[in-house]
Amino acid sequence: MAYINSLDMGNTPFLSEIEKKAIESYVPIIKKETQRLLKFLLAERKPRKILEIGAAVGFSAIIMAENSPEDAHITTIENYEKRIAIARDNIKKSGYDEKITLLEGNAEDILPGLEPGYDMIFIDAAKAQYPYYLEEARRLMTGDALLMADNCLQEGDIFESKFVVTRRDRTIHKRMREFLYNISHDGDFRSVILPVGDGVTLAVKER
């Protein structure tokens, strides 16, 4: 993996600085392998209406703004108050504040109020809520839209019996397995689970 990462062209200096500060502050952001996959998918799909569930400090939203068509728009949701202020500042400094809309609050409260029409949805929020996010994504996605969900392998815990996983993580383990089963057996989606980063699930909604 180190060799593959060494081939990466990297990010803009501003994104690299956000990434550095996030890592130093233990803020979860997408891994380098996942960043490359996201950029590739954006280049191939050219989505114009993107929804991100889980902004953190705005890192991945800015990646999507940089690598999507000029007329694209990203709506991103964040609940954690301390990160909201940082995300808003990063988005403003990036120069993409007109291309990115940051919604503050619980995704569970915000998603039902959004109108359908997204051609890409990126999920990287509370892992125990992934089954719920899937149902909202189904409603919000256009036909042939792309769903990308991060951290689906939970650092390998997803392969283990629930009795091996620490008690505090068992709900996440159960819900993530539920999400992976549902999306793999759902007739509305064509999906694949990739061992990229901490596990990425990709799904395309059938027309």
Side-chain angles (χ1 to χ4, degrees):
M1 191 58 69
Y3 170 68
I4 294 174
N5 284 338
S6 74
L7 301 175
D8 186 26
M9 297 290 288
N11 292 313
T12 59
F14 181 67
L15 271 174
S16 295
E17 183 63 22
I18 295 175
E19 183 178 29
K20 179 174 178 289
K21 289 180 179 178
I23 291 171
E24 290 173 349
S25 304
Y26 302 100
V27 174
I29 58 172
I30 57 176
K31 296 181 182 296
K32 290 191 178 297
E33 310 92 87
T34 311
Q35 294 173 35
R36 289 197 299 276
L37 177 60
L38 178 58
K39 292 174 187 177
F40 175 81
L41 293 169
L42 290 164
E44 288 297 306
R45 303 278 304 195
K46 298 179 175 57
R48 283 176 166 76
K49 190 175 181 183
I50 304 170
L51 173 63
E52 177 185 44
I53 307 173
V57 293
F59 179 73
S60 48
I62 296 170
I63 286 181
M64 290 189 279
E66 285 186 352
N67 292 276
S68 58
E70 188 175 342
D71 61 345
H73 190 84
I74 298 100
T75 299
T76 185
I77 302 170
E78 180 56 42
N79 179 48
Y80 190 34
E81 190 173 342
K82 290 183 178 179
R83 290 177 186 161
I84 288 171
I86 299 171
R88 197 169 292 286
D89 186 57
N90 284 335
I91 291 167
K92 184 176 182 180
K93 288 178 178 177
S94 75
Y96 289 110
D97 46 325
E98 292 188 3
K99 193 172 182 178
I100 302 171
T101 297
L102 175 61
L103 302 179
E104 303 178 18
N106 285 316
E108 294 90 330
D109 298 327
I110 293 172
L111 290 172
L114 299 180
E115 294 294 325
Y118 292 94
D119 47 11
M120 181 173 178
I121 295 181
F122 179 48
I123 302 176
D124 189 17
K127 311 312 169 190
Q129 299 302 320
Y130 272 37
Y132 170 75
Y133 299 150
L134 176 61
E135 292 310 306
E136 282 297 315
R138 184 199 311 277
R139 180 182 67 83
L140 293 168
M141 293 167 72
T142 60
D144 202 40
L146 175 68
L147 175 71
M148 179 175 180
D150 196 21
N151 302 119
C152 292
L153 298 184
Q154 292 291 287
E155 298 183 350
D157 279 356
I158 206 68
F159 302 121
E160 304 292 344
S161 162
K162 68 177 181 180
F163 299 108
V164 176
V165 177
T166 57
R167 186 177 296 274
R168 71 167 190 261
D169 292 331
R170 285 181 185 174
T171 297
I172 293 175
H173 180 273
K174 177 183 176 182
R175 298 279 179 81
M176 187 60 75
R177 280 197 168 191
E178 179 185 343
F179 166 79
L180 294 175
Y181 181 88
N182 289 349
I183 203 166
S184 298
H185 293 77
D186 194 312
D188 286 347
F189 295 98
R190 287 176 285 120
S191 64
V192 61
I193 303 165
L194 302 174
V196 174
D198 189 26
V200 172
T201 297
L202 299 178
V204 175
K205 186 178 179 182
E206 299 283 12
R207 289 185 180 275

